[in-house]
Amino acid sequence: MTKELLDFVLQDSPPFESEEMLGKTLVKNGYLNEEQLFLCLAEQLSMSFYPKLKDIQINPEAVKVVPAKFVQRYHFMPIEIKDKVLTAAVFNPMDIWLAEDIKMHLGYQVKRVLSTKSEIDEAIHKYYGVVAETVDQILSESTQHQDQFILKARDGLEEIDKSAEEASVIKLVNQVLLEAIQMQATDIHIEVYQKKVHLRYRIDGVLRDIKVPDDIYYIEPAIISRVKIISALDVVEHRIPQDGRVKVKLLNGQEADLRISIIPGYFGENVVIRILPSRALLGFESIGFFPDDIVRIEKLIQKPHGILLLTGPTGSGKTTTLYTCLSRLNRPEVKIISIEDPVEYAIEGITQIQVNPKVGLTFVNILRGVLRHDPDIMMIGEIRDSETADLAIRASLTGHLVFSTLHTNDAASAVSRLIDMRIEPFLLASSIDALIAQRLVRLVCQNCKGKGCDKCSATGYKGRTAILEMLLIDEEIRQMIIGRRSSPEIKKRAREKGMRTLRESGMILAEKGLTDLKEVMRVVEADDGI
């Protein structure tokens, strides 16, 4: 950099500012990048520079001996500890109080190395977790741990990133919820074991461990109580499972519905929080349907009567696909009623009923009442028993279009599953229009092409899409059902007539570079292709 250019930059800098301010100005105006700035600082101050903390081995003992409150207050990352000397990565070499405070309170000399703020932030998050400082403060302010916590419920919508500055269980729970939503998690798992609590997020269909301090075990009952309060559950009941829900709002206006399930475990109550966006992106393209599949399903849902069944395990996107079908059909001249357990997305124009077995609102009882409400289209969240299956089929035969789901491994297996429920093959053949098996596969991160980077948390995957197996019931397949032909035989004939299996759909995505073979094999059975 020339003297003239430096003089020009200094004209825009406030007087009497530190050298750090000048460095920030140079980076901000594009004269240097952050790495070049830190290389210069490291050379001037005779310090080592670590551009990528993730590439070095961080000693767990160093992390263990430095409390989270020190790390958060001075914003540094412990790296190594040896002979009473703590090596710490800092991004502000002018902070003279760091070494003095650590020596005074922890008894260690400090050797400083340089790294960027973003690298230090990421390392703190990885090794300490987002709630570490809050847990430290809660425990330091309480002499009797969980017996000292007073929790207060707030009415209406929970604004989870407007927490007060004081350390509290309310703030801690809000931090967990906010982090999970920002990481695009679909589920939060809080599991208690002997003297230990595990926190895990399900991201892109895979559970991921989230770092929390060991001391969180002492406030786990208070955390569970807070979750119960915001979801209107019984705080004093610890013996039976409970289910609830709440809507939360972020400062940016984004909202999310939380579905809470609490069950009593051997060492304490465990929580699973399902995160549902308040506004689902309903569209076959956004789900991941191939263009020819969209043409087929658009034709199917326009039929005046019949049954369309989606099959697959929990979490395979069946409900989202059904909501998309209903949204496409949602018109003022059409009466649509859904029976769900639970209602996941509220859609105006559709009468949605939630199952509640405690008061007798079962799928069967609701279905009987719904048929007297003159619906054109019905959605039954899941066919779980023979009575529900029988009513659904008879509804389709009396002029209703019915959508539902079934838990089977592939499309053809739904036939044998319904026959096992004592449904007569001729009724089944007369009512079913299509059987669709669905799975969700992770997409290769487009930033790193699967190698692992900051954007995908080093997993190599970012986002998910659907793969389908669409078995259309034509006259030949109907005769095979009536003749009680086996599911493999039906599947084989459907493939000969052009049906793509789940594996074949996945392989198409892999060939396009959108996913990979490992991911396809993870979600599809090895014997899928006959």
Side-chain angles (χ1 to χ4, degrees), residues 77-88:
M77 182 63 207
I79 292 177
E80 180 64 74
I81 187 166
K82 187 176 182 180
D83 299 329
K84 283 292 182 178
V85 176
L86 176 71
T87 302

Side-chain angles (χ1 to χ4, degrees), residues 243-302:
D243 295 307
R245 66 189 306 157
V246 66
K247 180 177 286 188
V248 296
K249 183 178 182 180
L250 310 184
L251 282 176
N252 63 8
Q254 178 187 359
E255 295 181 2
D257 287 314
L258 306 181
R259 201 172 73 203
I260 291 99
S261 176
I262 299 177
I263 58 172
Y266 186 72
F267 292 105
E269 291 177 287
N270 292 346
V271 177
V272 173
I273 302 173
R274 170 67 58 87
I275 302 171
L276 300 166
S278 292
R279 296 176 180 86
L281 296 175
L282 300 176
F284 294 121
E285 297 87 352
S286 61
I287 293 173
F289 281 27
F290 293 146
D292 57 340
D293 288 332
I294 295 176
V295 172
R296 293 187 186 101
I297 199 166
E298 290 277 12
K299 185 177 180 180
L300 284 167
I301 65 176
Q302 298 301 327

Side-chain angles (χ1 to χ4, degrees), residues 142-161:
S142 172
T143 57
Q144 299 180 13
H145 298 317
Q146 61 265 36
D147 295 335
Q148 294 295 311
F149 299 116
I150 301 173
L151 303 175
K152 295 181 180 180
R154 287 181 285 172
D155 296 330
L157 196 68
E158 288 288 325
E159 298 190 7
I160 68 173
D161 52 0

Side-chain angles (χ1 to χ4, degrees), residues 305-358:
H305 54 78
I307 296 181
L308 190 150
L309 272 182
L310 262 77
T311 76
T314 301
S316 58
K318 302 187 302 295
T319 301
T320 301
T321 298
L322 288 183
Y323 274 120
T324 302
C325 293
L326 296 186
S327 296
R328 297 286 293 159
L329 298 170
N330 189 9
R331 303 185 302 273
E333 65 270 21
V334 177
K335 175 75 170 183
I336 303 175
I337 300 179
S338 72
I339 308 168
E340 306 172 53
D341 184 20
V343 173
E344 294 193 0
Y345 304 112
I347 303 176
E348 186 176 348
I350 298 176
T351 302
Q352 297 173 270
I353 306 168
Q354 182 158 317
V355 170
N356 186 355
K358 292 180 180 178

Side-chain angles (χ1 to χ4, degrees), residues 35 37 64 77-78 92 105 110 113 140 149 153 192 203 220 253 288 304 313 321 334 353 388 390 404 427 478 515:
E35 188 170 326
L37 171 64
K64 187 176 181 180
M77 182 63 207
N92 180 8
H105 293 283
V110 176
V113 298
S140 66
F149 299 116
V192 59
I203 300 172
E220 189 267 349
T321 298
V334 177
I353 306 168
T388 305
D390 183 65
S404 192
L427 290 176
R478 292 186 200 280
T515 188

Side-chain angles (χ1 to χ4, degrees), residues 6 9-10 13-27 32 37 40-42 44-45 91-94:
L6 183 60
V9 173
L10 287 172
S13 299
F16 310 113
E17 290 287 346
S18 67
E19 291 182 14
E20 180 188 14
M21 187 62 191
L22 173 59
K24 286 183 178 179
T25 303
L26 292 171
V27 172
L32 293 174
L37 171 64
C40 293
L41 286 172
Q44 290 176 4
L45 301 172
F91 71 91
N92 180 8
M94 306 305 172

